[in-house]
Amino acid sequence: MRALTARPEHNTMNASSNITPAHRAPTPSAIVIVAPTSAELPTCARQHNTAIAVHLPPHGLPLTHATELPHGCPYAAIVQHVSLRRTFKELNAHHVTAVLAGSAHGINLAEQIAAALGLPTNGSSTAHARQDRHEQAQALRQAALPAPCGMRTTSLTTATRWMRFLRATEYVLTPANTSVAGARICRSPADVRVVWPSLQRTARNRGGGSDLVLQERLAGPQYVLHTHTHRDLEGAPTHTVTSLWASTRTASLLPDRDDQLDPTNALARSLTRYLQPVLDRLGVRTGPARTRIVLTPDRGPILLSLQTTAEPPPTEHRAGHHTTRITLIAPEDAVIDGPTLRTLTCLPTVSGFTPTLTPGAPVTRTIDADTSPGALTLTSAHPQAITDDHHTIRRAEARGLYHLARRPR
């Protein structure tokens, strides 16, 4: 197994493979994204000539899954999946060189399509573990790697009994499916009873299941690492860290800000060394992955969750520049105030924002990352300038960015 590196790499090929005879035009390559929910292509799609989207049938999908992509999508073709045989026939007409899951609901089909096309896939024996928080912890524990202590259940009674057995100071209750956002801090069985119904409803509506995971809450800063795994010339998986973020949350575990870090510094190297056996154990052999890690003071880095879906391209780190993503938090159902939004987007450090942030757009009360109105990207050579604008954004949210939505009479 090759060592995991923290330095972004470019696609490497034999020198001879870069030479194309003059009488022979290179065959255009295509990448397939299964069940995409974003109009942006992942970073690894840049080396392909075309991108093809595969849509899943509406039945069986969670209510919140987008069945139609927004306008301006960069897909050259869209395939409606009916059966594996028909989808394979349509894709076989293209020179497909990679298949990725655009969301958690496309992971299993993406693996099947890749296998049918003879392309590399992740380990089938660990497929469930790559989508389930509890299974991930179990797999790491079996490999003698540190993991949070927890349990998965659909029963409130079982969860409260386990709490009395463990007797931890604080717990985190969250959906088992790693693609479903939402976590609550609980200190007693009474706290669990209060949030259980809403979290189970969220898990069912967004992930197709009602399993929840109750884990000990691990203290320490959290980091998000984006990686890409490819096969080298000998066929061995090589993991590459493409970006690293320090993730800050509010006291109620709502996403606050993510600060990009240098992927080559000492901290990045430490997290990278820890991540290599984790990815290997969970069967990550090809494609992108997103991991959330907590750096505990006494046990070192510990994996909190892993996802193997394609995400929008991460911001590239530039030496001497600081980049921060501010996740907006709406206190209640409202609509976005246009003048206030325009003022925020003109702040000195704001370099971008999500397309969903438009004047008059309706927003719901933010209870997790999935219900956030959107995010602003801040970039500056001076960290204090970013912090000042971060405070300005939070003040605007409290004083005028959101107007109460008018109820119909």
Side-chain angles (χ1 to χ4, degrees):
M1 190 66 60
R2 294 297 181 88
L4 186 150
T5 174
R7 186 181 300 276
E9 297 180 353
H10 299 288
N11 186 35
T12 57
M13 303 177 62
N14 281 336
S16 59
S17 64
N18 287 330
I19 301 175
T20 303
H23 64 279
R24 187 176 173 184
T27 304
S29 63
I31 185 171
V32 174
I33 310 295
V34 181
T37 58
S38 172
E40 295 183 88
L41 291 176
T43 305
C44 53
R46 297 174 182 173
Q47 58 185 318
H48 300 272
N49 299 102
T50 59
I52 302 172
V54 174
H55 279 326
L56 302 182
H59 61 82
L61 283 174
L63 298 176
T64 55
H65 183 82
T67 56
E68 294 185 4
L69 294 174
H71 296 291
C73 292
Y75 293 102
I78 295 179
V79 175
Q80 184 65 50
H81 175 72
V82 177
S83 67
L84 182 60
R85 180 178 180 181
R86 182 178 296 183
T87 300
F88 170 76
K89 183 178 180 180
E90 292 192 47
L91 295 178
N92 204 34
H94 304 271
H95 181 54
V96 178
T97 55
V99 181
L100 301 178
S103 65
H105 314 297
I107 292 177
N108 293 332
L109 181 58
E111 294 283 336
Q112 295 173 14
I113 293 175
L117 293 172
L119 300 174
T121 64
N122 288 317
S124 59
S125 61
T126 53
H128 185 59
R130 289 190 295 275
Q131 304 175 53
D132 188 286
R133 288 181 172 87
H134 181 67
E135 291 296 326
Q136 291 172 7
Q138 291 285 83
L140 297 184
R141 195 173 292 109
Q142 292 172 3
L145 293 170
C149 183
M151 56 95 67
R152 183 188 64 226
T153 183
T154 58
S155 169
L156 173 59
T157 301
T158 302
T160 54
R161 286 177 179 172
W162 182 81
M163 290 180 69
R164 295 187 180 97
F165 168 77
L166 187 64
R167 296 184 180 276
T169 304
E170 290 184 325
Y171 306 83
V172 174
L173 184 66
T174 184
N177 193 317
T178 57
S179 69
V180 182
R184 302 290 186 275
I185 298 176
C186 301
R187 298 177 177 84
S188 67
D191 292 343
V192 174
R193 293 189 190 97
V194 170
V195 300
W196 186 274
S198 61
L199 264 183
Q200 197 166 53
R201 185 166 53 252
T202 296
R204 187 164 45 247
N205 290 342
R206 298 182 190 170
S210 56
D211 290 82
L212 300 183
V213 170
L214 185 64
Q215 292 179 334
E216 60 175 330
R217 187 188 183 193
L218 299 174
Q222 295 186 14
Y223 302 91
V224 174
L225 286 83
H226 295 267
T227 61
H228 185 78
T229 302
H230 65 278
R231 303 294 182 95
D232 61 16
L233 297 178
E234 299 176 355
T238 299
H239 312 297
T240 302
V241 174
T242 56
S243 65
L244 168 64
W245 301 79
S247 180
T248 304
R249 296 192 172 192
T250 66
S252 55
L253 296 186
L254 292 177
D256 181 16
R257 60 182 285 176
D258 295 283
D259 296 275
Q260 190 174 29
L261 304 178
D262 183 355
T264 63
N265 63 20
L267 173 63
R269 291 195 297 270
S270 175
L271 295 175
T272 294
R273 284 192 297 269
Y274 162 79
L275 193 56
Q276 176 182 348
V278 169
L279 296 178
D280 291 340
R281 180 63 183 179
L282 296 178
V284 178
R285 300 175 183 172
T286 185
R290 178 185 184 273
T291 55
R292 178 175 289 273
I293 295 173
V294 58
L295 186 59
T296 63
D298 52 345
R299 298 164 60 186
I302 297 179
L303 178 76
L304 294 179
S305 66
L306 173 141
Q307 299 179 45
T308 55
T309 56
E311 294 193 341
T315 305
E316 297 182 1
H317 179 268
R318 292 188 299 164
H321 285 75
H322 303 271
T323 300
T324 300
R325 284 197 301 250
I326 306 298
T327 301
L328 297 182
I329 302 173
E332 51 196 331
D333 295 354
V335 295
I336 296 179
D337 178 69
T340 305
L341 176 63
R342 284 190 288 271
T343 299
L344 292 182
T345 56
C346 292
L347 289 174
T349 68
V350 172
S351 57
F353 53 92
T354 51
T356 54
L357 292 177
T358 57
V363 300
T364 58
R365 183 174 71 90
T366 302
I367 59 174
D368 51 42
D370 290 340
T371 53
S372 166
L376 296 167
T377 301
L378 280 54
T379 305
S380 176
H382 307 286
Q384 187 58 46
I386 290 179
T387 299
D388 292 342
D389 283 352
H390 174 216
H391 293 162
T392 300
I393 293 170
R394 293 301 181 215
R395 287 194 298 269
E397 286 191 299
R399 300 176 184 176
L401 180 59
Y402 310 113
H403 284 319
L404 292 181
R406 295 181 179 178
R407 297 181 179 177
R409 296 180 178 178

